[in-house]
Amino acid sequence: MRKFLFLSCFISTALSLQAQWKPVALNYNHLKRPDYFIPTAMHFSDTSNGFLLTTAGLMQLKENLWRPANIIVNDSLPFTYTNVFTVNPRNTFLCGYDGKVSLFNGDTISILFKVDESETVNITLNTIFMLDSTNGWAAGENGTVVKIEGSNHIMQNLLPMYSFRDMYFDTPEHGWMIGYIPEHIEDGGVIFEFKDGFWDVHSALPGQLFDIEFSSPGNGFITGEHDIYRFVSEANEWQSENIEDYYPQLHLSMLDDNYGISVSDNNTNFVYENGIWFHGPPAAVADLQSVKTIDYNRAWAMSQIGNNNPSDLNDGKVQRLQDNVWEGFSLKYLDSVFIQPTDFAITSINSIDEENIWFNGQYVGLTSYKNWPDSAPVLNSDTFYIALKMFSQDFGLGFDGNLLEWNGEYWINKNIDPVMNPDTSIANVCMHVFNDTSGYLCRQYFTWSSGEIRNVVAKYDYQTNSLAPAVTLGTKSAFDIHFADTENGWIVGDSGLTVRYADNNWQTLPAITNKRLTAVFSVDAATAWAVGDEGVLLKYDGAAWVQYSLATEQNLRSIFFTSSNDGWITGDSGLIFRYNGTDWVRDSSGNTNTLYTIHMFDSTYGFAGGDNGLVLQYIKPLPPVVPEKKFCEFGDSYFVYQPGGDSYVYQWQVDAGNGFENIADDIVFSGTNNDTLWLTAMPPELYGYKLRCIASFEGVDSVSNIEELKFINRWTGAISTAWEDPGNWSCGSLPGENTDVVILSGEIIINTDENIRSLSLSPGVNITLAEGAALNILK
């Protein structure tokens, strides 16, 4: 039969406008002085050429000063890097989380290559070592080892059970690599050796292994969890140095065969001299992650925490050992560090109303109702580093856990911890604010010397800018807090932690899952929802938590309700689920970025945010204006099924009395694979047929309500009293033998023989049959 494909496409496009998530552009200000950055790796080719890789970009040692490297970036995703190796100022190499290896030539960062996902299970590269400006190696997770030859690479995948942390070549033909088995990270490390053109397991050592370096061929050390190990070439084995009062050393740097320094994440460091390791000068900060020895009693080191000085969050990030004394080194040249929006994850969205939105503490005013501006205002990237979580238009938590307040122009630190024990770090993980005057903070205390972790909840009072203890959570970390009102709220966290606040009392409930719970939403005093890792979804029904099944095993990140029947969940790989009061239905976000937060105004409008600065806007348009649906013999009609989202696969089905079967486009049906099914010139024999639609999304089916075709023609009497005049009928045609006739009022004269399926009359209707005429009712 002839198909009407063009008709189907045209009508569907015109009348089937679906709600959709679409990305909206934020205009970032790239050049800035970062108020907070984290050093991640450091490498020197010699004492005068060094690079520091940070979350804010590259810093280069020039004239004995650390300065931002002036970079032109030929890469849409810069600084998703894990490690750096510099051969000389014109040849500095970086490896990244996404399997990327790039080259900085002194002016431009360009991607040399990217490891494809088909080449390895996990494409994260942790370490890179260059033999010269063209050839080298990189290694990382799941046994991934890559041989670098210019802009080409050759995969040398080893056993996927291993993950590799560091490598070092003592000669161009001979190298070492240390790693571990993630499933048994505490049981010990493994050492691989490269010789005769192949990698092979050399030996194993107890505990984790952190760094490996040689000062000359055959003379090398490994720092580990339990000791420092020396390579004894005569025995071809790694032997323990048996250091007294040893604390795990994270990194070491050898000046030559007679002198070197190792550093740790507390104040304990070691010096190697004349064949012996002994305690060195304590660091000025609690954590040194990497070190470069440049002379006897002189070195550079980096710290990820620094001095934790609220007035300068970068203070102490670079440490210098001079005359055997560690001290923080000034970073006053940070005002031109290159920042890209991809460094940011949108973790918090808040609003004053539907036209004034805050993303991670940065304000964006929409030009008109729901209308994203064509030219978005420039967003000062500093703000994204200051206020990473917001809890109202006036309060937020900073990158380092400080409580911040917006004064109308900029964020100010509330200094709720004016005096801190230098051995203890405090992080404010989550917060709920009541009318900008009080709130609850989930806080984590970490003691560096003992490794003790304490989690507590404190109540904040705005008038006195003070905290009061509320409840102790123990070693389980809290991740989210939300209140339905001032008297009813929930906290969720590690290992299924759920803590309820009701009747002026905090109560920890028995865990019904061992998964981490990442977000909670209190709908009312008796109802709450929580989400977590591996697709965990829980509902509190007023008496207990009940576990629900959700069609995913991905990690879930946030949850938001606008009413008890309208809820939303976001998660990894662009996941969005919508609650319709009965079921959770999958939406399509159109991307694979992790979505950390969602903020909805109602079921038709809202925003979601995620990795790489992604902001999604959701607008559900008003239903299209369509003609009144009616069923008439040889008439036209339609059915619509829109479960939500724009990535469904549709199949309409018909039941003619023997069960539902798929239908295809023909002279009657069009749009059989779309959300709108159109029926053209319906023949009378379709009476009683049943129709439905199956909408599929990623293997999950959603089924529409069943519609039954019944041809009904109503008497209008708009033209005359004659039955035979088509203008007197609602269908604009005469009723036939498969039509149910409905007459509510009027005078009707029948002059011919007429066959109809059924007749429904209201009191007062008068039908007159002319001589020889008949009205045959077949049912």
Side-chain angles (χ1 to χ4, degrees):
M1 290 186 287
R2 186 163 58 94
K3 299 180 183 297
F4 288 82
L5 292 175
F6 174 76
L7 175 62
S8 170
C9 293
F10 174 80
I11 292 175
S12 174
T13 301
L15 294 177
S16 180
L17 296 176
Q18 292 193 4
Q20 60 178 321
W21 290 96
K22 65 176 183 178
V24 291
L26 290 179
N27 184 11
Y28 294 88
N29 181 10
H30 302 317
L31 296 176
K32 73 175 199 72
R33 182 185 190 279
D35 288 283
Y36 192 88
F37 73 84
I38 301 176
T40 57
M42 181 174 66
H43 188 258
F44 286 72
S45 62
D46 54 59
T47 58
S48 63
N49 175 53
F51 282 85
L52 188 66
L53 174 65
T54 79
T55 53
L58 271 179
M59 298 192 70
Q60 186 175 9
L61 185 66
K62 292 183 177 181
E63 299 173 352
N64 207 35
L65 294 172
W66 287 98
R67 302 174 185 266
N70 295 320
I71 299 173
I72 301 171
V73 181
N74 294 334
D75 178 3
S76 60
L77 298 175
F79 301 120
T80 53
Y81 294 111
T82 57
N83 220 325
V84 60
F85 190 102
T86 179
V87 177
N88 53 55
R90 288 290 178 182
N91 290 277
T92 298
F93 297 82
L94 304 104
C95 63
Y97 291 103
D98 50 1
K100 178 171 54 182
V101 172
S102 298
L103 168 65
F104 174 55
N105 64 8
D107 298 308
T108 302
I109 285 184
S110 299
I111 300 175
L112 293 180
F113 60 83
K114 290 184 71 172
V115 177
D116 190 81
E117 291 183 358
S118 63
E119 298 179 281
T120 181
V121 177
N122 187 317
I123 59 179
T124 297
L125 299 175
N126 296 323
T127 181
I128 184 170
F129 192 99
M130 298 301 297
L131 304 173
D132 53 42
S133 60
T134 303
N135 300 287
W137 294 84
E141 302 301 312
N142 293 91
T144 302
V145 181
V146 182
K147 186 178 182 181
I148 301 169
E149 296 180 348
S151 59
N152 300 317
H153 69 285
I154 302 173
M155 298 299 295
Q156 305 262 317
N157 285 3
L158 304 180
L159 295 176
M161 68 178 70
Y162 295 113
S163 290
F164 299 115
R165 176 170 280 162
D166 193 29
M167 60 170 49
Y168 199 98
F169 278 74
D170 50 358
T171 71
E173 296 79 24
H174 183 259
W176 300 88
M177 185 163 56
I178 57 175
Y180 59 97
I181 301 175
E183 288 78 8
H184 305 283
I185 190 170
E186 301 299 334
D187 295 344
V190 64
I191 304 169
F192 275 72
E193 182 182 17
F194 181 81
K195 65 178 181 179
D196 301 327
F198 296 96
W199 288 100
D200 200 1
V201 175
H202 178 272
S203 54
L205 291 173
Q208 298 186 58
L209 305 181
F210 301 116
D211 188 34
I212 181 170
E213 183 169 323
F214 281 73
S215 55
S216 64
N219 188 50
F221 294 93
I222 291 175
T223 61
E225 182 179 2
H226 300 302
D227 208 340
I228 294 179
Y229 304 91
R230 181 202 302 260
F231 181 66
V232 180
S233 56
E234 294 82 2
N236 191 30
E237 64 182 20
W238 293 87
Q239 296 180 0
S240 175
E241 291 287 83
N242 296 314
I243 301 174
E244 293 185 4
D245 300 323
Y246 179 78
Y247 183 89
Q249 303 292 287
L250 299 182
H251 197 265
L252 68 96
S253 172
M254 301 300 296
L255 178 67
D256 51 36
D257 288 353
N258 297 313
Y259 187 81
I261 298 174
S262 69
V263 295
S264 71
D265 60 357
N266 76 352
N267 298 93
T268 303
N269 306 305
F270 288 95
V271 171
Y272 177 80
E273 193 168 4
N274 299 322
I276 300 174
W277 289 96
F278 55 88
H279 282 272
V285 295
D287 72 317
L288 295 184
Q289 303 287 326
S290 181
V291 62
K292 170 61 179 179
T293 306
I294 60 175
D295 203 345
Y296 284 82
N297 301 322
R298 294 180 59 202
W300 291 103
M302 71 175 201
S303 165
Q304 293 193 342
I305 295 179
N307 294 343
N308 200 20
N309 179 2
S311 62
D312 184 355
L313 299 178
N314 294 308
D315 187 21
K317 293 296 180 62
V318 173
Q319 290 281 316
R320 182 176 64 175
L321 180 67
Q322 193 84 1
D323 298 326
N324 219 32
V325 175
W326 286 103
E327 62 181 359
F329 190 80
S330 173
L331 296 176
K332 62 183 179 181
Y333 294 98
L334 287 177
D335 54 339
S336 59
V337 170
F338 195 86
I339 298 293
Q340 284 287 327
T342 51
D343 290 323
F344 305 120
I346 302 298
T347 59
S348 181
I349 300 175
N350 211 298
S351 66
I352 301 172
D353 52 41
E354 296 182 2
E355 297 180 26
N356 298 278
I357 320 296
W358 296 76
F359 300 97
N360 285 24
Q362 175 63 61
Y363 168 77
V364 175
L366 275 60
T367 54
S368 61
Y369 177 68
K370 297 184 181 179
N371 184 26
W372 191 262
D374 293 332
S375 179
V378 174
L379 305 184
N380 186 342
S381 299
D382 289 341
T383 305
F384 285 81
Y385 268 78
I386 295 174
L388 288 189
K389 290 186 178 181
M390 278 194 65
F391 305 96
S392 72
Q393 59 267 28
D394 292 329
F395 280 103
L397 291 186
F399 193 91
D400 62 341
N402 285 322
L403 176 61
L404 307 171
E405 182 180 12
W406 181 257
N407 69 356
E409 297 182 3
Y410 53 86
W411 291 97
I412 58 174
N413 190 344
K414 296 296 289 182
N415 291 317
I416 54 176
D417 298 299
V419 178
M420 288 183 57
N421 184 338
D423 188 46
T424 302
S425 296
I426 302 176
N428 297 320
V429 182
C430 54
M431 179 181 183
H432 188 95
V433 175
F434 301 116
N435 300 322
D436 301 338
T437 60
S438 66
Y440 285 100
L441 274 75
C442 308
R443 320 192 80 202
Q444 183 175 90
Y445 294 81
F446 178 77
T447 304
W448 290 94
S449 58
S450 64
E452 179 189 7
I453 295 177
R454 292 185 299 115
N455 294 279
V456 302
V457 179
K459 187 171 184 179
Y460 174 73
D461 179 73
Y462 178 79
Q463 299 299 325
T464 60
N465 190 40
S466 62
L467 295 171
V471 64
T472 299
L473 303 178
T475 59
K476 288 186 178 181
S477 298
F479 283 95
D480 196 25
I481 181 172
H482 187 263
F483 279 71
D485 51 55
T486 57
E487 301 301 324
N488 296 278
W490 286 94
I491 292 172
V492 297
D494 268 340
S495 304
L497 175 69
T498 56
V499 183
R500 185 186 185 192
Y501 181 77
D503 300 324
N504 296 316
N505 182 50
W506 293 92
Q507 179 187 11
T508 300
L509 273 66
I512 66 169
T513 177
N514 61 357
K515 307 299 183 187
R516 180 181 67 167
L517 299 177
T518 53
V520 65
F521 197 99
S522 302
V523 179
D524 52 42
T527 308
W529 292 85
V531 296
D533 287 353
E534 300 180 27
V536 168
L537 174 63
L538 307 178
K539 181 182 180 181
Y540 183 76
D541 60 7
W545 286 98
V546 179
Q547 189 155 351
Y548 276 59
S549 176
L550 202 61
T552 183
E553 293 184 357
Q554 302 250 32
N555 295 334
L556 306 177
R557 304 287 184 169
S558 69
I559 186 166
F560 194 96
F561 275 77
T562 56
S563 71
S564 59
N565 293 323
D566 293 290
W568 307 79
I569 293 172
T570 66
D572 289 357
S573 302
L575 280 177
I576 299 180
F577 285 90
R578 177 177 54 85
Y579 183 65
N580 58 20
T582 304
D583 301 307
W584 287 95
V585 181
R586 178 81 175 267
D587 265 3
S588 172
S589 66
N591 72 91
T592 58
N593 289 26
T594 295
L595 297 174
Y596 293 101
T597 184
I598 187 166
H599 184 88
M600 300 296 297
F601 297 92
D602 54 38
S603 62
T604 67
Y605 177 54
F607 291 90
D611 275 339
N612 301 329
L614 177 68
V615 173
L616 299 176
Q617 184 184 39
Y618 178 85
I619 297 179
K620 185 175 183 178
L622 296 175
V625 178
V626 295
E628 178 187 0
K629 180 163 50 176
K630 57 184 180 180
F631 306 122
C632 301
E633 287 183 320
F634 302 107
D636 301 337
S637 194
Y638 68 96
F639 293 101
V640 178
Y641 182 50
Q642 296 177 342
D646 56 1
S647 297
Y648 281 91
V649 175
Y650 295 92
Q651 176 61 62
W652 286 88
Q653 298 180 328
V654 65
D655 179 4
N658 298 312
F660 281 101
E661 298 178 349
N662 293 345
I663 54 177
D665 288 7
D666 55 26
I667 59 174
V668 175
F669 300 111
S670 59
T672 54
N673 297 123
N674 213 314
D675 59 3
T676 303
L677 177 69
W678 292 88
L679 295 83
T680 304
M682 292 179 287
E685 55 266 26
L686 292 186
Y687 188 99
Y689 279 26
K690 297 176 181 178
L691 294 162
R692 73 178 185 184
C693 181
I694 307 295
S696 302
F697 182 78
E698 297 187 354
V700 179
D701 291 341
S702 179
V703 184
S704 70
N705 293 328
I706 296 174
E707 300 277 0
E708 185 175 355
L709 292 177
K710 292 184 177 182
F711 300 129
I712 300 175
N713 207 346
R714 293 178 174 80
W715 172 263
T716 65
I719 304 299
S720 64
T721 59
W723 178 286
E724 299 78 10
D725 190 336
N728 287 325
W729 295 96
S730 61
C731 288
S733 60
L734 299 183
E737 61 184 17
N738 285 302
T739 298
D740 298 319
V741 172
V742 177
I743 304 176
L744 300 178
S745 62
E747 299 279 340
I748 302 99
I749 299 175
I750 301 177
N751 298 294
T752 56
D753 286 348
E754 300 292 340
N755 295 324
I756 62 174
R757 184 179 184 281
S758 67
L759 177 64
S760 176
L761 296 177
S762 292
V765 173
N766 185 13
I767 298 177
T768 302
L769 295 174
E771 185 177 348
L775 178 62
N776 301 308
I777 301 173
L778 305 180
K779 295 290 183 179

